[in-house]
Amino acid sequence: MKRKFLFAIVAIILISISSTTFYAQKKTGKDLQDAVKRVDAASAVLEEIMSIRDKSIPRDLLAKAKAVVVFPGGIKGAFIIGGQGGKGVAVRRLGQKWSAPAFLNMAGGSIGFQIGGSKTDYILLVMNDKGMKGLVEDKFELGGEGSVAAGPVGRTAAASTNATFDAEILTYSRSKGLFAGVSLKGVSINSDSDLNRAIYEKDLKQIIGQPVLPATAAPATLQKFGRTVGTYGYGR
């Protein structure tokens, strides 16, 4: 009788472990699919914008950027009920290469991810260590004098003002086919903790903080965004 009871207990434990493992694998698989969609969308946005002759992000700015963040407006489920928001991807420069992609959320009452039914993409260039420090905080609000500026558009940034060069973060938007620098003050950015944990079992600071997580630590299907940034940002 005791033996049958022990067998029953062992069977219940094994079934429980098996069910938990299956659920975890299923959840991780869905998270990876979501991450791939986001990476692909962000890569497509950057490629499309950089293909616009004389009206793209100056490549010399991309070459100096500490990090590049893209919030594609076309991601399903990217909009927050009762406000404006989106889901994005960030990579940090790592020598001549770029880091594994980290996942971020964006929210704020002053941004319009949909204007008249059209989707809006946002690109942020983090230009210095101070901007980088803010980005990896649990919640980072864009704003403050001199910290955020509308990014210049064109082949080079040589004609830009000193205010632009001194900014911690340069910001851009594209809506209805129009691409331009835009000031995103009052917008908050925070880690997509659930997705970062699901993919890496790490938090945002462990991915694009110090030390930086290399691209090779990410699944191969997520390394596309870093390669795309490297194509235009002098480093792969």
Side-chain angles (χ1 to χ4, degrees):
M1 189 70 178
K2 286 184 177 180
R3 184 175 294 179
K4 288 183 178 180
F5 178 75
L6 288 174
F7 278 141
I9 293 296
V10 170
I12 290 171
I13 292 172
L14 290 174
I15 291 171
S16 177
I17 292 173
S18 177
S19 299
T20 301
T21 302
F22 174 76
Y23 175 77
Q25 289 175 341
K26 185 176 180 181
K27 182 177 186 297
T28 302
K30 182 181 183 302
D31 289 327
L32 182 58
Q33 289 178 355
D34 291 343
V36 169
K37 287 179 182 178
R38 198 183 304 190
V39 162
D40 288 347
S43 300
V45 167
L46 189 61
E47 287 175 342
E48 290 166 9
I49 287 170
M50 295 307 295
S51 69
I52 305 172
R53 186 176 179 85
D54 297 329
K55 291 186 178 181
S56 62
I57 300 171
R59 293 199 180 199
D60 52 343
L61 282 181
L62 276 170
K64 296 174 183 176
K66 298 280 187 181
V68 177
V69 187
V70 176
F71 288 91
I75 296 178
K76 183 179 180 181
F79 309 111
I80 299 174
I81 297 174
Q84 310 291 344
K87 298 177 182 291
V89 186
V91 288
R92 180 172 183 170
R93 187 178 296 280
L94 181 58
Q96 295 300 311
K97 299 183 179 181
W98 294 86
S99 72
F103 301 99
L104 302 168
N105 294 323
M106 184 185 204
S110 62
I111 58 176
F113 272 74
Q114 287 187 319
I115 302 174
S118 68
K119 298 165 184 174
T120 303
D121 308 307
Y122 291 96
I123 297 178
L124 287 68
L125 304 186
V126 182
M127 302 306 297
N128 55 38
D129 291 337
K130 189 175 181 182
M132 200 68 233
K133 182 180 178 181
L135 183 66
V136 299
E137 290 179 355
D138 292 335
K139 185 176 181 180
F140 176 47
E141 185 170 320
L142 300 179
E145 187 175 352
S147 62
V148 180
V153 174
R155 184 166 295 184
T156 70
S160 302
T161 64
N162 288 335
T164 298
F165 283 124
D166 292 339
E168 297 165 18
I169 298 177
L170 300 176
T171 52
Y172 298 85
S173 73
R174 181 182 66 165
S175 181
K176 297 183 179 180
L178 298 177
F179 177 68
V182 61
S183 182
L184 291 177
K185 292 183 179 180
V187 173
S188 65
I189 296 174
N190 63 286
S191 170
D192 188 335
S193 300
D194 290 342
L195 192 55
N196 286 325
R197 282 286 177 188
I199 300 299
Y200 302 108
E201 295 186 355
K202 297 181 183 294
D203 60 30
L204 184 63
K205 289 184 179 179
Q206 292 173 310
I207 303 169
I208 58 172
Q210 291 290 358
V212 181
L213 194 67
T216 52
T221 50
L222 298 182
Q223 295 177 24
K224 179 179 180 179
F225 184 56
R227 290 195 301 269
T228 302
V229 173
T231 300
Y232 308 105
Y234 307 162
R236 296 171 184 263

